[in-house]
Amino acid sequence: MSFFERYDKRIIEPFAIKTIAASFDEKYGMYHSPIDTDNFDYISPSQEQAIEITSVISKNEINVYRYEKLKVKGKPHLKTSHIKWIKLKPNGDVYSYYGGSISEIKQAIRKSLESKHEKAKERLNNKAYKQVDLCICIQDGSLFDLFSFELEFTDLEKYVFDNIFFITPSHFICYNKKIGFTEYPKVINQS
């Protein structure tokens, strides 16, 4: 995978399902992506469980991502004035930049929760699943940990999801409706 591809849905979704299987429960490794595009991202072999996968990325991070994609495509004279605190190497590669604030990322997580909740309710009107989960991959510069999630998201039981997985660069955290928040060792499955 090239660095500039890291937010592509074809990269994020398989990464997330493999990470959930390796970090939480290997049964997720058996899930498959359905042919029906108006469905959840992955479905269990029994067709009784489903999971939706999404990502949360700050605006500045998206700007860096767009810059990198254009650079790889060979576009000359790229502007960087819209990217906060960007520092470039002599060859134009990104050295460092501002990733985003806790507040911005928290708002983006909340917005993602709300939109995926509504989408899941609509899908559940047409399909019967016994369990629906959500995974949110968060590019947060490792700002959020278990305590942060417990403080900021005290009302997750209102969503349709049985489990909500939060994958950050440093943490793998699961919110379960029955037991609340739990952090698990984050295991990256490369296969």
Side-chain angles (χ1 to χ4, degrees):
M1 170 186 71
S2 299
F3 184 66
F4 73 93
E5 294 175 318
R6 68 191 178 280
Y7 298 133
D8 188 298
K9 158 183 184 89
R10 294 169 301 194
I11 302 292
I12 293 230
E13 290 178 2
F15 164 80
I17 202 73
K18 287 177 186 177
T19 302
I20 294 167
S23 305
F24 181 72
D25 190 330
E26 62 187 24
K27 76 176 184 178
Y28 288 88
M30 305 295 289
Y31 281 35
H32 66 278
S33 186
I35 296 170
D36 176 8
T37 56
D38 188 23
N39 204 333
F40 293 97
D41 292 319
Y42 286 90
I43 309 295
S44 69
S46 68
Q47 307 288 309
E48 294 180 347
Q49 290 93 21
I51 186 167
E52 183 72 10
I53 298 170
T54 191
S55 53
V56 166
I57 308 162
S58 73
K59 181 179 179 183
N60 205 53
E61 183 85 23
I62 291 292
N63 289 336
V64 171
Y65 181 58
R66 289 179 181 145
Y67 170 87
E68 290 174 326
K69 285 176 68 174
L70 291 171
K71 184 179 180 305
V72 166
K73 290 179 181 178
K75 184 166 182 181
H77 313 296
L78 293 171
K79 293 181 183 179
T80 59
S81 58
H82 63 294
I83 302 173
K84 290 182 188 175
W85 302 354
I86 191 163
K87 293 188 191 297
L88 300 175
K89 297 177 184 176
N91 67 357
D93 287 348
V94 176
Y95 178 72
S96 67
Y97 55 92
Y98 173 73
S101 69
I102 288 178
S103 176
E104 177 189 9
I105 294 164
K106 182 180 89 170
Q107 289 173 2
I109 292 169
R110 182 63 68 185
K111 183 177 177 183
S112 187
L113 282 164
E114 295 294 333
S115 69
K116 294 301 179 180
H117 172 76
E118 292 304 318
K119 189 178 266 188
K121 284 192 332 186
E122 288 175 23
R123 288 180 175 160
L124 287 169
N125 285 334
N126 301 324
K127 296 172 176 43
Y129 293 107
K130 291 182 179 176
Q131 176 181 324
V132 177
D133 299 327
L134 174 65
C135 176
I136 304 177
C137 297
I138 305 164
Q139 182 58 36
D140 71 342
S142 299
L143 296 172
F144 281 87
D145 61 7
L146 178 64
F147 185 63
S148 303
F149 283 105
E150 289 173 333
L151 280 177
E152 298 293 342
F153 300 99
T154 58
D155 61 346
L156 297 183
E157 73 283 346
K158 73 180 183 180
Y159 298 107
V160 299
F161 308 107
D162 295 277
N163 294 300
I164 303 173
F165 302 105
F166 300 96
I167 301 174
T168 76
S170 302
H171 302 281
F172 180 90
I173 295 167
C174 175
Y175 171 80
N176 176 276
K177 278 190 175 180
K178 294 179 183 170
I179 62 172
F181 283 100
T182 306
E183 182 165 4
Y184 297 89
K186 181 179 168 189
V187 180
I188 306 295
N189 183 344
Q190 300 296 335
S191 62

